[in-house]
Amino acid sequence: MNKLNVDCLKIIFDELETNSLYSCLLVNKEWCNIIVPILWSYSWKDISASKKKFFFNTILSCLPISSKQLLSDNNIKLPSTILLKPPLFNYISFCKSPPTIKELNDIIGMMFENEFNNETKYILEQEIFKLFVDQCKDIKVLWWDNSHPLLSFPGASTCFSQLYITYIDIDFVNSNSLEDMAQICKDLKILVIDKCCQDLPGLISLIDAQRDLEEILFYSYKDRKGTCKELGKALARKVNTIKCLCLESINIIPPSFLTLFTNLKELTISNIEEYDDTSEEIKEIKQYLAILEFPYLQKLKIWLTCYKELAMLILKIKGNIFEIGAGINNKNIKDVGMLIKSIANNCQNIEKLDIYMRHTDFIHIKLLLLNCRNLKLIVVYNVYDDDNNIGDELLDILTKFSPNSLTTIAISGKWKYSFGAFERLFESYRERNSLEFFIIDNIDNAADVTAKFIHITDNHRIIIKRYIIMGVIKLTNIPTLK
């Protein structure tokens, strides 16, 4: 057999699992030279816990002599093997992203058993970030969640010039730093802003500087209020490029600005405040949802109880939508049937649906399943149902009318389901593709992870296990009996 050239090997190795790559490292020098850059290009979340200590040791070995001396002067003792053994590669140069501050702190704690005070830990963090900024020439992702002066480190103008995705925590990044980043970074595609509650000139400059910004996502805190009018104007100046807009608080930008984003493909709006259906903010957003037009929209997630307005919006989308999420756990829920009918009649290509409803709206699910034969996933949340003995009605509708494409079902754990209804559903999938089946909930106490399984008995678990063994159920979150 002729020897494969380097390009072919790279293509093959890119498709392999991480564990396989580690074993391939030892084949020969050529393979090692190809695989090392691939391994170090992975994001930190893709590295197993068992390998992180090895990776961190290697990072420490790449620190320049000046950094190692600074650490020593501050009583940060590195392992002797790191001080003596020079690295075989410039590993850091292969990385596409520095670690997040949480990832870095987790590893520091694991390596040094939390023996540092905050001051010395900050120095260690600083030298590691300096190393990444100096050596990485092609960083694509930046998780900007720390107070280190990243842009003042040597190499910053090169390191951050090719950023594709940036997450910014406003608690740590001030307006001046954002202004400096705007001078370096011009080609962001995705920008995520956390804890933003007021206009920041630096953030506005950063948005204005981008040539082709496609996605922007805003997250916030419950206790932070404020409307960012100037920020809304900056976004409006990018309406020709922004295709995805996510607002976790309805107060971030005035709803009137939404009328400008006619090119959107994805829209998400939620409200992290305590829900008040009669508030002026909710009334205003409902008014705009009723008149908005997004002819190219493909994904729509509105986590508010405005089903009527969503039904009216969907009428104008003309069948292009593939994913919808709607509702919130609110006792004043109404017009669910109107929304589901609008989806069933106008969104035949829909593939994913997340929706909050009462059991009185189950009947509308039948029309949805009959009309939307490309549906792949359905998630149904229970909203304030006093009667929880009606889960079988939903399961029987899914059993009788689900299209062959529907392979992921997630249903509320607040309803009760009989053993027979479980078996009927799973039997209907014996001749179809394997099913992913989940019990989920809008749990009031998020810390109680078992609350969703309150009505799942040992008999339910026995049934689940049997159909897993048969290959009918491919994946589930329901713990089975051993």
Side-chain angles (χ1 to χ4, degrees), residues 37 80 248 319 346:
S80 57
E248 196 182 56
N346 298 281

Side-chain angles (χ1 to χ4, degrees), residues 358-376:
R358 289 198 183 97
H359 76 275
T360 51
D361 297 302
F362 286 170
I363 187 62
H364 305 298
I365 294 292
K366 175 181 175 181
L367 177 64
L368 175 82
L369 297 174
L370 288 173
N371 284 14
C372 303
R373 305 306 288 178
N374 294 320
L375 194 65
K376 297 178 180 178

Side-chain angles (χ1 to χ4, degrees), residues 223-476:
D223 58 352
R224 297 190 182 183
K225 295 183 178 180
T227 300
C228 308
K229 292 185 179 180
E230 295 304 314
L231 181 58
K233 293 177 183 178
L235 296 179
R237 291 192 286 272
K238 299 294 179 181
V239 293
N240 291 329
T241 64
I242 291 178
K243 301 297 188 296
C244 172
L245 179 63
C246 173
L247 305 174
E248 196 182 56
S249 173
I250 58 175
N251 296 318
I252 292 177
I253 63 171
S256 58
F257 282 96
L258 292 174
T259 59
L260 304 174
F261 290 88
T262 55
N263 291 325
L264 282 183
K265 291 186 177 180
E266 300 182 31
L267 174 63
T268 299
I269 301 175
S270 56
N271 189 27
I272 60 173
E273 302 295 331
E274 292 299 322
Y275 192 85
D276 181 3
D277 201 36
T278 63
S279 70
E280 291 303 316
E281 293 87 355
I282 296 295
K283 289 180 180 178
E284 186 178 12
I285 194 68
K286 285 185 175 183
Q287 290 173 356
Y288 279 100
L289 285 173
I291 63 172
L292 287 171
E293 292 192 30
F294 301 114
Y296 308 110
L297 204 64
Q298 296 176 357
K299 295 183 181 181
L300 175 64
K301 297 181 180 180
I302 307 294
W303 303 116
L304 305 167
T305 54
C306 47
Y307 294 91
K308 178 181 178 181
E309 291 76 15
L310 288 180
M312 297 167 65
L313 175 60
I314 286 170
L315 285 173
K316 294 172 279 189
I317 295 177
K318 301 176 182 177
N320 295 321
I321 202 156
F322 296 103
E323 184 173 347
I324 295 175
I328 198 168
N329 193 18
N330 182 268
K331 61 184 178 182
N332 296 320
I333 187 173
K334 59 182 180 179
D335 298 317
V336 179
M338 180 178 179
L339 174 60
I340 297 178
K341 287 178 183 176
S342 182
I343 296 170
N345 293 325
N346 298 281
C347 305
Q348 281 80 13
N349 294 322
I350 189 171
E351 297 178 354
K352 297 179 182 180
L353 174 65
D354 287 46
I355 193 163
Y356 287 75
M357 63 169 58
R358 289 198 183 97
H359 76 275
T360 51
D361 297 302
F362 286 170
I363 187 62
H364 305 298
I365 294 292
K366 175 181 175 181
L367 177 64
L368 175 82
L369 297 174
L370 288 173
N371 284 14
C372 303
R373 305 306 288 178
N374 294 320
L375 194 65
K376 297 178 180 178
L377 175 150
I378 188 167
V379 180
V380 182
Y381 291 99
N382 174 4
V383 179
Y384 284 96
D385 256 331
D386 295 326
D387 182 5
N388 57 22
N389 292 301
I390 38 70
D392 283 10
E393 182 182 349
L394 175 60
L395 285 186
D396 286 340
I397 291 172
L398 291 168
T399 299
K400 294 176 183 177
F401 304 107
S402 291
N404 289 334
S405 61
L406 185 60
T407 55
T408 303
I409 295 174
I411 52 178
S412 172
K414 289 187 176 181
W415 291 311
K416 290 182 180 179
Y417 308 97
S418 70
F419 313 139
F422 258 43
E423 289 202 277
R424 288 193 294 273
L425 175 66
F426 302 145
E427 277 295 315
S428 72
Y429 273 83
R430 284 172 67 98
E431 304 302 324
R432 305 194 212 178
N433 293 327
S434 297
L435 176 67
E436 295 181 1
F437 182 75
F438 305 98
I439 296 293
I440 47 92
D441 228 321
N442 36 308
I443 302 171
D444 296 329
N445 179 11
D448 185 3
V449 295
T450 63
K452 69 182 74 173
F453 303 122
I454 190 171
H455 298 307
I456 301 298
T457 67
D458 284 351
N459 283 329
H460 288 99
R461 300 177 200 279
I462 290 170
I463 294 169
I464 290 283
K465 184 173 183 178
R466 185 166 80 245
Y467 282 96
I468 290 175
I469 293 171
M470 294 167 59
V472 173
I473 298 176
K474 178 171 62 176
L475 184 66
T476 185

Side-chain angles (χ1 to χ4, degrees), residues 115-127:
E115 63 187 54
F116 301 143
N117 58 36
N118 288 336
E119 183 179 349
T120 53
K121 185 161 71 68
Y122 185 89
I123 293 172
L124 180 55
E125 292 171 1
Q126 172 186 274
E127 296 309 301

